[in-house]
Coordinates of all heavy atoms in Angstrom, one line a residue:
Chain A
V1170 N 15.0 -59.0 -40.3 CA 15.3 -58.6 -41.7 C 16.3 -57.5 -41.8 O 17.3 -57.5 -42.6 CB 14.0 -58.2 -42.4 CG1 14.3 -57.6 -43.8 CG2 13.1 -59.5 -42.6
A1171 N 16.1 -56.5 -40.9 CA 17.1 -55.3 -40.9 C 18.5 -55.8 -40.6 O 19.5 -55.4 -41.2 CB 16.6 -54.3 -39.9
A1172 N 18.6 -56.7 -39.6 CA 19.9 -57.2 -39.2 C 20.6 -58.0 -40.4 O 21.7 -57.8 -40.6 CB 19.8 -58.1 -38.0
E1173 N 19.8 -58.8 -41.1 CA 20.3 -59.6 -42.2 C 20.7 -58.6 -43.3 O 21.8 -58.8 -44.0 CB 19.3 -60.6 -42.7 CG 19.1 -61.8 -41.9 CD 20.4 -62.5 -41.6 OE1 21.1 -62.9 -42.6 OE2 20.7 -62.8 -40.5
Q1174 N 19.9 -57.6 -43.5 CA 20.3 -56.6 -44.6 C 21.6 -55.9 -44.3 O 22.4 -55.7 -45.1 CB 19.2 -55.6 -44.7 CG 18.1 -56.0 -45.6 CD 17.0 -54.9 -45.7 OE1 16.8 -54.1 -44.9 NE2 16.2 -55.0 -46.8
Q1175 N 21.8 -55.6 -43.0 CA 23.0 -54.9 -42.6 C 24.2 -55.8 -42.8 O 25.3 -55.4 -43.3 CB 22.9 -54.5 -41.1 CG 22.9 -53.0 -40.9 CD 23.1 -52.7 -39.4 OE1 23.4 -53.5 -38.6 NE2 23.0 -51.4 -39.1
K1176 N 24.0 -57.1 -42.4 CA 25.1 -58.1 -42.6 C 25.5 -58.2 -44.1 O 26.6 -58.2 -44.5 CB 24.7 -59.5 -42.1 CG 24.9 -59.7 -40.6 CD 24.8 -61.2 -40.4 CE 23.8 -61.5 -39.3 NZ 23.5 -62.9 -39.2
A1177 N 24.4 -58.3 -44.9 CA 24.7 -58.4 -46.4 C 25.4 -57.2 -46.9 O 26.3 -57.3 -47.7 CB 23.3 -58.6 -47.1
Q1178 N 25.0 -56.0 -46.4 CA 25.6 -54.8 -46.9 C 27.1 -54.7 -46.5 O 27.9 -54.3 -47.3 CB 24.9 -53.6 -46.2 CG 24.6 -52.4 -47.1 CD 23.7 -51.4 -46.5 OE1 23.8 -51.1 -45.3 NE2 22.7 -50.9 -47.2
F1179 N 27.4 -55.1 -45.3 CA 28.7 -55.1 -44.8 C 29.6 -56.1 -45.6 O 30.7 -55.8 -46.1 CB 28.8 -55.5 -43.3 CG 30.2 -55.5 -42.7 CD1 30.8 -54.2 -42.5 CD2 30.9 -56.6 -42.5 CE1 32.0 -54.1 -41.9 CE2 32.2 -56.5 -41.9 CZ 32.7 -55.3 -41.7
T1180 N 29.0 -57.3 -45.8 CA 29.8 -58.3 -46.7 C 30.0 -57.7 -48.1 O 31.1 -57.9 -48.6 CB 28.9 -59.6 -46.8 OG1 28.6 -60.0 -45.5 CG2 29.7 -60.7 -47.4
A1181 N 29.0 -57.1 -48.6 CA 29.2 -56.5 -50.0 C 30.3 -55.5 -50.0 O 31.1 -55.4 -50.9 CB 27.9 -55.9 -50.5
Q1182 N 30.3 -54.7 -48.9 CA 31.3 -53.6 -48.8 C 32.7 -54.2 -48.7 O 33.7 -53.8 -49.4 CB 31.1 -52.8 -47.5 CG 30.7 -51.4 -47.8 CD 30.4 -50.6 -46.5 OE1 31.0 -51.0 -45.5 NE2 29.7 -49.6 -46.6
V1183 N 32.9 -55.3 -47.9 CA 34.2 -56.0 -47.8 C 34.6 -56.5 -49.2 O 35.8 -56.2 -49.6 CB 34.1 -57.1 -46.8 CG1 35.4 -57.9 -46.8 CG2 33.9 -56.6 -45.4
H1184 N 33.7 -57.1 -49.9 CA 34.1 -57.6 -51.2 C 34.5 -56.5 -52.2 O 35.4 -56.6 -53.0 CB 33.0 -58.5 -51.8 CG 32.9 -59.8 -51.1 ND1 31.8 -60.2 -50.4 CD2 33.8 -60.8 -50.9 CE1 32.0 -61.4 -49.9 NE2 33.2 -61.8 -50.2
H1185 N 33.8 -55.4 -52.1 CA 34.1 -54.3 -52.9 C 35.5 -53.8 -52.7 O 36.2 -53.5 -53.6 CB 33.0 -53.2 -52.7 CG 33.1 -52.0 -53.6 ND1 32.8 -50.7 -53.2 CD2 33.5 -51.9 -54.9 CE1 33.1 -49.9 -54.2 NE2 33.5 -50.6 -55.2
F1186 N 35.8 -53.6 -51.4 CA 37.1 -53.1 -51.0 C 38.2 -54.1 -51.4 O 39.3 -53.7 -51.9 CB 37.2 -52.9 -49.5 CG 36.7 -51.5 -49.1 CD1 35.5 -51.4 -48.4 CD2 37.5 -50.4 -49.4 CE1 35.1 -50.1 -48.1 CE2 37.0 -49.1 -49.1 CZ 35.8 -49.0 -48.4
M1187 N 37.9 -55.4 -51.3 CA 38.8 -56.4 -51.8 C 39.2 -56.2 -53.2 O 40.3 -56.2 -53.6 CB 38.2 -57.8 -51.6 CG 38.5 -58.4 -50.3 SD 40.2 -58.6 -49.9 CE 40.7 -59.9 -50.9
E1188 N 38.1 -56.0 -54.1 CA 38.4 -55.8 -55.5 C 39.3 -54.6 -55.8 O 40.2 -54.6 -56.6 CB 37.1 -55.7 -56.2 CG 36.4 -57.1 -56.5 CD 35.1 -56.9 -57.2 OE1 34.9 -56.1 -58.1 OE2 34.1 -57.7 -56.8
L1189 N 39.0 -53.5 -55.0 CA 39.7 -52.3 -55.2 C 41.2 -52.5 -54.8 O 42.1 -52.1 -55.5 CB 39.1 -51.2 -54.4 CG 37.7 -50.7 -54.9 CD1 37.3 -49.6 -53.8 CD2 37.8 -50.0 -56.2
C1190 N 41.4 -53.0 -53.6 CA 42.6 -52.9 -52.9 C 43.6 -54.1 -53.2 O 44.8 -53.9 -53.1 CB 42.5 -52.7 -51.4 SG 41.5 -51.3 -51.0
W1191 N 43.0 -55.2 -53.6 CA 43.9 -56.4 -53.9 C 44.8 -56.0 -55.0 O 46.1 -56.2 -54.9 CB 43.0 -57.6 -54.3 CG 43.8 -58.8 -54.8 CD1 44.0 -59.1 -56.1 CD2 44.4 -59.8 -54.0 NE1 44.7 -60.3 -56.1 CE2 45.0 -60.7 -54.9 CE3 44.5 -60.0 -52.6 CZ2 45.7 -61.8 -54.4 CZ3 45.2 -61.1 -52.2 CH2 45.8 -62.0 -53.1
D1192 N 44.3 -55.4 -56.1 CA 45.1 -55.1 -57.2 C 46.2 -54.0 -56.9 O 47.3 -54.1 -57.3 CB 44.3 -54.6 -58.4 CG 43.9 -55.8 -59.3 OD1 44.7 -56.8 -59.3 OD2 42.9 -55.7 -60.0
K1193 N 45.7 -53.1 -56.1 CA 46.6 -51.9 -55.8 C 47.7 -52.3 -54.8 O 48.8 -51.7 -54.9 CB 45.8 -50.8 -55.2 CG 44.8 -50.1 -56.1 CD 45.1 -48.7 -56.4 CE 44.1 -48.1 -57.3 NZ 44.6 -47.9 -58.6
C1194 N 47.5 -53.2 -54.0 CA 48.4 -53.4 -52.9 C 49.2 -54.8 -52.9 O 50.2 -54.8 -52.3 CB 47.7 -53.3 -51.5 SG 47.0 -51.7 -51.2
V1195 N 48.6 -55.8 -53.5 CA 49.3 -57.1 -53.5 C 49.9 -57.3 -54.8 O 49.2 -57.4 -55.8 CB 48.3 -58.2 -53.1 CG1 49.0 -59.5 -53.1 CG2 47.7 -58.0 -51.8
E1196 N 51.3 -57.3 -54.9 CA 51.9 -57.5 -56.1 C 52.1 -59.0 -56.3 O 51.2 -59.7 -56.8 CB 53.3 -56.8 -56.2 CG 53.1 -55.3 -56.2 CD 54.3 -54.5 -55.8 OE1 55.4 -55.1 -55.8 OE2 54.2 -53.3 -55.6
K1197 N 53.2 -59.5 -55.8 CA 53.3 -61.0 -55.8 C 53.1 -61.5 -54.4 O 53.7 -61.1 -53.5 CB 54.7 -61.4 -56.3 CG 54.8 -61.8 -57.7 CD 55.4 -63.1 -58.0 CE 55.1 -63.9 -59.3 NZ 55.0 -63.2 -60.5
P1198 N 52.1 -62.4 -54.3 CA 51.8 -62.9 -52.9 C 52.9 -63.6 -52.3 O 53.5 -64.6 -52.9 CB 50.6 -63.9 -53.2 CG 50.1 -63.5 -54.5 CD 51.3 -63.0 -55.3
G1199 N 53.3 -63.2 -51.1 CA 54.4 -63.9 -50.3 C 53.8 -64.8 -49.3 O 52.6 -65.1 -49.3
N1200 N 54.7 -65.3 -48.4 CA 54.1 -66.2 -47.4 C 53.5 -65.6 -46.2 O 53.1 -66.3 -45.3 CB 55.2 -67.3 -47.1 CG 56.5 -66.7 -46.7 OD1 56.6 -65.5 -46.4 ND2 57.6 -67.5 -46.8
Q1201 N 53.5 -64.3 -46.2 CA 52.6 -63.6 -45.2 C 52.4 -62.1 -45.7 O 53.1 -61.7 -46.6 CB 53.3 -63.6 -43.8 CG 54.6 -62.8 -43.7 CD 55.1 -62.7 -42.3 OE1 55.9 -63.4 -41.8 NE2 54.5 -61.7 -41.6
L1202 N 51.4 -61.5 -45.1 CA 51.2 -60.1 -45.4 C 52.3 -59.2 -44.7 O 52.2 -59.0 -43.5 CB 49.8 -59.6 -44.9 CG 48.5 -59.9 -45.6 CD1 47.4 -59.3 -45.0 CD2 48.6 -59.5 -47.1
D1203 N 53.2 -58.6 -45.6 CA 54.2 -57.8 -44.9 C 53.6 -56.4 -44.6 O 52.5 -56.1 -45.0 CB 55.4 -57.7 -45.8 CG 55.1 -57.1 -47.2 OD1 54.1 -56.3 -47.3 OD2 55.9 -57.3 -48.1
S1204 N 54.4 -55.7 -43.8 CA 53.9 -54.4 -43.3 C 53.6 -53.4 -44.4 O 52.7 -52.6 -44.3 CB 54.9 -53.8 -42.2 OG 56.2 -53.7 -42.8
R1205 N 54.4 -53.5 -45.5 CA 54.2 -52.5 -46.6 C 52.8 -52.8 -47.2 O 52.0 -51.9 -47.4 CB 55.2 -52.7 -47.7 CG 55.3 -51.5 -48.6 CD 56.5 -51.6 -49.5 NE 56.2 -52.6 -50.6 CZ 57.0 -52.6 -51.7 NH1 58.1 -51.9 -51.8 NH2 56.7 -53.5 -52.6
T1206 N 52.4 -54.1 -47.3 CA 51.1 -54.4 -47.9 C 50.0 -54.0 -46.9 O 49.0 -53.5 -47.4 CB 51.0 -55.9 -48.2 OG1 52.2 -56.3 -48.9 CG2 49.8 -56.3 -48.9
E1207 N 50.2 -54.2 -45.6 CA 49.2 -53.9 -44.7 C 49.0 -52.4 -44.6 O 47.8 -51.9 -44.6 CB 49.6 -54.4 -43.3 CG 49.5 -55.9 -43.1 CD 49.5 -56.3 -41.7 OE1 50.0 -55.5 -40.8 OE2 49.1 -57.4 -41.4
N1208 N 50.1 -51.6 -44.7 CA 49.9 -50.1 -44.7 C 49.2 -49.7 -46.0 O 48.3 -48.8 -45.9 CB 51.3 -49.4 -44.7 CG 51.9 -49.5 -43.4 OD1 51.2 -49.6 -42.4 ND2 53.2 -49.4 -43.3
C1209 N 49.5 -50.3 -47.1 CA 48.8 -50.0 -48.4 C 47.3 -50.3 -48.2 O 46.5 -49.5 -48.7 CB 49.5 -50.8 -49.5 SG 48.7 -50.5 -51.1
L1210 N 47.0 -51.5 -47.6 CA 45.6 -51.9 -47.5 C 44.8 -50.9 -46.6 O 43.7 -50.4 -46.9 CB 45.4 -53.3 -46.9 CG 45.8 -54.4 -47.9 CD1 45.9 -55.7 -47.1 CD2 44.9 -54.5 -49.0
S1211 N 45.4 -50.5 -45.5 CA 44.8 -49.5 -44.6 C 44.6 -48.2 -45.4 O 43.5 -47.6 -45.4 CB 45.7 -49.2 -43.4 OG 45.5 -50.1 -42.4
S1212 N 45.6 -47.7 -46.1 CA 45.5 -46.5 -46.8 C 44.5 -46.6 -47.9 O 43.7 -45.7 -48.1 CB 46.9 -46.1 -47.5 OG 47.9 -46.0 -46.5
C1213 N 44.4 -47.8 -48.5 CA 43.5 -48.0 -49.6 C 42.0 -47.8 -49.1 O 41.2 -47.1 -49.7 CB 43.6 -49.4 -50.2 SG 42.5 -49.8 -51.5
V1214 N 41.7 -48.4 -48.0 CA 40.4 -48.3 -47.4 C 40.1 -46.9 -47.0 O 39.1 -46.3 -47.4 CB 40.2 -49.2 -46.2 CG1 38.9 -49.0 -45.5 CG2 40.3 -50.7 -46.5
D1215 N 41.1 -46.3 -46.3 CA 40.9 -44.9 -45.9 C 40.7 -43.9 -47.0 O 39.8 -43.1 -47.0 CB 42.0 -44.4 -45.0 CG 42.1 -45.2 -43.7 OD1 41.1 -46.0 -43.4 OD2 43.1 -45.1 -42.9
R1216 N 41.6 -44.0 -48.0 CA 41.6 -43.1 -49.1 C 40.3 -43.3 -50.0 O 39.8 -42.3 -50.5 CB 42.8 -43.2 -50.0 CG 44.1 -42.9 -49.4 CD 44.2 -41.4 -48.9 NE 43.6 -41.2 -47.6 CZ 44.0 -41.6 -46.4 NH1 45.1 -42.4 -46.4 NH2 43.3 -41.4 -45.3
F1217 N 39.8 -44.5 -50.1 CA 38.6 -44.7 -50.8 C 37.4 -44.0 -50.1 O 36.6 -43.4 -50.8 CB 38.3 -46.2 -51.0 CG 37.0 -46.4 -51.8 CD1 37.0 -46.2 -53.2 CD2 35.8 -46.7 -51.2 CE1 35.9 -46.4 -53.9 CE2 34.6 -46.9 -51.9 CZ 34.7 -46.7 -53.3
I1218 N 37.4 -44.1 -48.8 CA 36.4 -43.4 -48.0 C 36.5 -41.9 -48.2 O 35.5 -41.2 -48.4 CB 36.5 -43.8 -46.5 CG1 36.0 -45.3 -46.4 CG2 35.6 -42.9 -45.7 CD1 36.3 -45.9 -45.0
D1219 N 37.7 -41.4 -48.1 CA 37.9 -39.9 -48.3 C 37.5 -39.5 -49.7 O 36.8 -38.5 -49.8 CB 39.5 -39.6 -48.2 CG 40.0 -39.7 -46.8 OD1 39.1 -39.8 -45.8 OD2 41.2 -39.8 -46.6
T1220 N 37.8 -40.3 -50.7 CA 37.4 -40.0 -52.0 C 35.9 -39.9 -52.2 O 35.3 -39.0 -52.8 CB 37.9 -41.1 -53.0 OG1 39.3 -41.2 -52.8 CG2 37.6 -40.7 -54.5
T1221 N 35.2 -41.0 -51.6 CA 33.7 -41.0 -51.6 C 33.2 -39.7 -51.0 O 32.3 -39.1 -51.5 CB 33.2 -42.2 -50.9 OG1 33.8 -43.4 -51.4 CG2 31.7 -42.3 -51.0
L1222 N 33.7 -39.3 -49.8 CA 33.3 -38.1 -49.1 C 33.5 -36.9 -49.9 O 32.6 -36.0 -50.1 CB 34.0 -38.0 -47.8 CG 33.5 -38.9 -46.6 CD1 34.4 -38.6 -45.4 CD2 32.1 -38.7 -46.3
A1223 N 34.7 -36.8 -50.5 CA 35.0 -35.6 -51.3 C 34.1 -35.5 -52.5 O 33.6 -34.4 -52.8 CB 36.5 -35.7 -51.8
I1224 N 33.8 -36.6 -53.2 CA 32.9 -36.5 -54.3 C 31.5 -36.2 -53.9 O 30.8 -35.4 -54.5 CB 33.0 -37.8 -55.2 CG1 34.4 -37.9 -55.8 CG2 31.9 -37.9 -56.2 CD1 34.7 -39.2 -56.6

Side-chain angles (χ1 to χ4, degrees):
Chain A
V1170 169
E1173 285 303 308
Q1174 273 179 341
Q1175 247 191 6
K1176 272 196 239 169
Q1178 222 170 41
F1179 184 75
T1180 309
Q1182 250 180 20
V1183 171
H1184 287 120
H1185 185 214
F1186 276 108
M1187 270 303 284
E1188 279 177 43
L1189 292 174
C1190 302
W1191 174 263
D1192 269 337
K1193 294 239 180 257
C1194 295
V1195 179
E1196 292 164 12
K1197 259 232 157 44
N1200 48 20
Q1201 64 172 98
L1202 277 186
D1203 62 21
S1204 54
R1205 198 172 77 167
T1206 310
E1207 287 195 342
N1208 286 335
C1209 180
L1210 290 171
S1211 274
S1212 301
C1213 181
V1214 173
D1215 293 352
R1216 295 300 79 69
F1217 182 78
I1218 290 170
D1219 290 344
T1220 306
T1221 305
L1222 284 180
I1224 292 177

